[in-house]
Every structure is written in C-alpha cells, then in structure tokens.
Amino acid sequence: MTTTSSNLYVLLLGKFMSLFASSLFTFVAGLTVLTTSGSGLQFALVLLAGTVPRVLLSPFAGAFADKLNRKRVIITMESVNALLFLVAGIASLVWTFGVPAFLIITCLLSIVSTFLSVTLSSSIPLLFNQGELQRANSLIQTVISVSSIGTPLLAGALFKLLPISAFLLSSSLLFVIAALVASRLTFRTHERISSDQSTWDDVRSGFRYLKQQRVLWTLTVLAALLNFFFVASEILFPIVALQEIGVSPLQFGFLESMFAVGFLVASLAHALPVFAIKYRLATVRTSLIVMSCLFIAPAIPIYFDFTITPAIVLFTSFALLSGFFILRVNIPMQLYLQTNTEPSYLGRVMGVLEALAMGITPLGFILFGALSEWVPVAYLYSICMVCLLTITLFAMHRIRHDIAAEKSDVLADAQSAPAHQ
C-alpha cells in the first residue's frame, strides 16, 4: 500500500470519528436546551457559542498550522477534545447540566475544533499527490455527508434512552480513536514560516499574500459571498415549504434530508474518474452560473400556484441538484486553492477563508430573517438569484484571462504527454 493510499484511509477514519463525536454533542446539546428551557433565544446562544470562536480564531489557527508541526497539532487537538469530554462526562454524573454548562462546553469545543479543522484542511496537499487530490477531497466530503445524515438519526433515536453523560463519554472515546488514528499520518516535508515573528504578524502576512494573488483572493471573496446567500436559503426554504406551500413536518424532514443525500451522491460521484475535473476555474464558472439559476426554483411553486405534490417533486429536484452543483463548485475551488498556494502559506490562507466564510453567516441570518417579515419570500428568492448571478459573472470576468490560461496549460500538457511516454 502506498503512503498516499494509507494516508487516505487514515484521514477518512480519523475525520469520521472526530466529526461524529462533535456532531453528536452539538445535536444533543441543542436538543437538551430546547426541550428543557423551551427558549429559542437560549438555543440560538448555544449555536452562537459554536460559531463566534471559529470566526475570530481561524486566521490565528492558520498561522499556528504554518508555524508548528501539523501532525503534532492534529494529535494534540484531538486529545484535548477527548480530555474535555471526559471531564464533562464525569462532571455530568455529579451535577445536572444547565444552559451555562452547554455554552461553556460548546465554546471550548469550537475553539479546539477551529485549530483542528484549519490544520487538517491545510494539510491535505501535504498528504496527497496532485493527481489524488480530487479523489481525497471528494471522499472527505462523503464522510462529512454521511456524518451529517447519520449523527442526527442515531442521536435522535437514543436521546430519550441515554443520559447526557453517555453521549459525552462516547464522544471522548471517539476523539481518543481519532487521535490514535492521526498518529499514522505521513506528511511530505515543506518549508515552515519563521518562528521569530509574532502570531499577529503571521496572520497579517498571510492576508497580504492572499490579496496579492488575484485569483485566490477573488475565489476567497466569492466563497464568502456564496455563503451569505446560502444562509438566505436556510432561512427562506422552510418558510416557503411549511408556510407558503403547506407541506407537513414529515414531508419537510424528507426535503431537508434530500440536500444531504445530494451532497453524498455528488461526493461519491466526484471520487470516480468519469467526474475528473480538467479545467478547475472553468468548472467553477459553469457550476456557479447553473447554481445561480437554480436558486429561483423554490419560488416557482409560489409564482405558479403549485399544489403540494408537484411542489414536493420540484423541491426534491432542487435539493438534489443543489447538492451536486454546490460540490461541483467546492471541489475545484478547493483544488485550485490547494495547488496554487505556497505550502508555507496554506494554513493562513485556509484560516482567512474560513473566517470570511463563517463571519458573514450571522449577518445573513439577521438580514434575511428580518427581510422575510417585510418582503414576500418569492421576491427575496428572485433578488438573491439576480445578485448571485451578477456576483458570479463579475468575479469570473475578473479572472477570465486566468481561466483561458488554465485551459491552454491543460491542453498543452495533454499534447506533450504522448511525447514523453
């Protein structure tokens, strides 16, 4: 077995254990707060405690990833999470946890997981060869999709049967396994940044580097803006389905699961050679244009007064296609970032990208939540579609020469390949 193949199995297993452990706690914490307090505000505070640290700390996590030994950081963060949940699990046997306890644990988990996820994301190009990057990224997305589908199902089924301590201690065990698995990763050597400058200077140098790379900076800003409009869909889609069309809660649960199924199918498909991405920037452009046009789909049943059954068929198609094209945007974007960023800047670039993408989401929740009270939802979807399409066309026009150059380079490599064989 080659080193990169070994890395793939190790990374996927560790990622699944780590994701499953954190998702298990997040789901149970939210459900416990909602069922015991009945307060939407307290539930929102728990969600906020998991988001704010990621926004604030991602650039610093990226700087540490570039400066320190990545393998050591991953093992340490997995171990710290295991210790956190072990202590919390033992404490829950003695005391009854209220909202403050869940806020503290969520916040600590978010801090540690920020350093873990940024380091892992920036490590992928150092674990795999360029030819294996698409398959690796696709299978990582598969693990994320499986975890997002499986964790709520399992936690929901066991929630009434098991005490909170069982979930906390189970998460601790999963993090221990993830730490042990991470010790088997084999990294390629690369130049690390100088350790004599401050972390703040490291963050600023990473931000400057990113701004100097026109294509990388355009893709980073584009990713942040896309996140903003996807938040709009998270707010607007339940309003359309439940209030405007009148689907039942069971039918809505099915529709929500179709987004995850779309991601899962797309991630598995992109691990196959038939979906190999030749032109990364051109694929991003085409997929974004298609996705922007798709964005209007949930508003169509309102404009044309659909009954419930055809509306559900349309919503299901929208969810599955959205999953496919979101991944068709994400994977080539990730590949471009991973292969066109200097290894010594990978952590800081990923950190800035995560901070921008996560930082804009609370604004989206607030803005679209307020607008949905005053503006018809169908109009909001139409406005979002126009904005998405405009932003996409502007961003792609800005890097049009780079898209053409990438196509020329790929064609030139393909033509010269037989000559070297």
Side-chain angles (χ1 to χ4, degrees):
M1 186 184 290
T2 64
T3 300
T4 50
S5 295
S6 172
N7 277 340
L8 182 60
Y9 298 127
V10 168
L11 183 66
L12 292 177
L13 179 59
K15 182 82 174 175
F16 179 77
M17 292 295 175
S18 189
L19 266 178
F20 200 87
S22 54
S23 299
L24 193 64
F25 168 74
T26 303
F27 182 86
V28 171
L31 208 55
T32 304
V33 169
L34 269 179
T35 52
T36 55
S37 71
S39 169
L41 176 60
Q42 291 184 350
F43 177 63
L45 284 174
V46 173
L47 294 180
L48 207 59
T51 305
V52 173
R54 295 186 78 89
V55 175
L56 298 178
L57 296 177
S58 287
F60 297 96
F64 278 110
D66 287 336
K67 185 181 286 189
L68 304 176
N69 182 301
R70 281 182 166 85
K71 182 175 179 177
R72 199 170 296 158
V73 171
I74 292 167
I75 295 170
T76 302
M77 293 302 106
E78 298 281 24
S79 302
V80 170
N81 270 335
L83 183 61
L84 168 66
F85 279 96
L86 177 62
V87 171
I90 294 169
S92 69
L93 295 171
V94 181
W95 297 288
T96 301
F97 279 6
V99 174
F102 286 115
L103 282 173
I104 292 168
I105 298 169
T106 302
C107 188
L108 291 173
L109 173 65
S110 181
I111 290 169
V112 178
S113 296
T114 298
F115 285 85
L116 176 62
S117 66
V118 171
T119 305
L120 264 175
S121 299
S122 64
S123 297
I124 292 170
L126 304 173
L127 294 169
F128 305 100
N129 299 323
Q130 279 205 26
E132 297 168 316
L133 277 176
Q134 180 178 332
R135 182 164 174 260
N137 281 302
S138 301
L139 291 174
I140 289 167
Q141 290 292 333
T142 301
V143 165
I144 294 169
S145 298
V146 169
S147 178
S148 68
I149 295 169
T151 309
L153 289 174
L154 180 64
L158 298 176
F159 180 68
K160 293 288 186 185
L161 303 175
L162 298 176
I164 187 68
S165 57
F167 291 104
L168 292 169
L169 294 172
S170 298
S171 291
S172 178
L173 179 61
L174 290 170
F175 278 122
V176 168
I177 296 170
L180 292 172
V181 167
S183 67
R184 307 291 297 172
L185 291 170
T186 306
F187 285 75
R188 290 206 306 273
T189 55
H190 70 285
E191 184 184 346
R192 291 202 194 102
I193 62 172
S194 171
S195 58
D196 56 359
Q197 62 180 3
S198 69
T199 304
W200 180 246
D201 287 334
D202 293 339
V203 171
R204 288 199 300 176
S205 67
F207 192 77
R208 281 197 302 271
Y209 169 82
L210 192 56
K211 285 208 75 175
Q212 288 164 4
Q213 313 297 316
R214 189 181 70 258
V215 179
L216 289 177
W217 179 244
T218 302
L219 292 179
T220 300
V221 174
L222 185 59
L225 292 171
L226 289 175
N227 246 30
F228 179 74
F229 286 104
F230 293 149
V231 164
S233 190
E234 284 184 48
I235 297 286
L236 301 178
F237 186 69
I239 296 172
V240 169
L242 292 166
Q243 295 180 10
E244 301 287 340
I245 302 301
V247 302
S248 69
L250 179 64
Q251 290 168 330
F252 180 70
F254 166 77
L255 292 173
E256 285 283 281
S257 69
M258 286 299 102
F259 286 98
V261 171
F263 277 115
L264 178 60
V265 171
S267 59
L268 287 170
H270 280 84
L272 302 173
V274 70
F275 281 100
I277 295 168
K278 264 202 218 175
Y279 312 116
R280 296 166 186 183
L281 294 178
T283 302
V284 169
R285 179 179 61 186
T286 305
S287 302
L288 275 175
I289 290 170
V290 172
M291 202 166 64
S292 300
C293 296
L294 266 178
F295 209 80
I296 192 68
I300 291 174
I302 301 175
Y303 282 128
F304 294 98
D305 200 22
F306 279 25
T307 56
I308 288 179
T309 302
I312 288 174
V313 172
L314 181 67
F315 290 156
T316 303
S317 304
F318 166 71
L320 292 171
L321 287 172
S322 291
F324 180 85
F325 281 103
I326 287 171
L327 215 70
R328 192 73 178 168
V329 170
N330 283 350
I331 287 179
M333 205 179 272
Q334 287 171 350
L335 290 172
Y336 194 90
L337 287 167
Q338 290 166 354
T339 55
N340 290 273
T341 305
E342 287 181 32
S344 59
Y345 281 94
L346 272 167
R348 283 165 287 175
V349 166
M350 296 297 177
V352 170
L353 176 60
E354 186 157 329
L356 285 173
M358 294 285 292
I360 205 167
T361 52
L363 176 63
F365 279 123
I366 293 166
L367 179 65
F368 289 106
L371 285 175
S372 65
E373 299 285 332
W374 305 99
V375 181
V377 182
Y379 293 168
L380 284 177
Y381 261 114
S382 304
I383 293 165
C384 286
M385 185 201 75
V386 172
C387 291
L388 261 177
L389 203 52
T390 304
I391 291 165
T392 297
L393 293 175
F394 177 77
M396 294 301 118
H397 179 75
R398 191 167 186 264
I399 59 171
R400 65 193 183 283
H401 299 303
D402 302 278
I403 295 172
E406 186 190 43
K407 279 189 173 181
S408 299
D409 290 344
V410 171
L411 288 171
D413 289 344
Q415 289 169 357
S416 63
H420 294 302
Q421 288 176 354

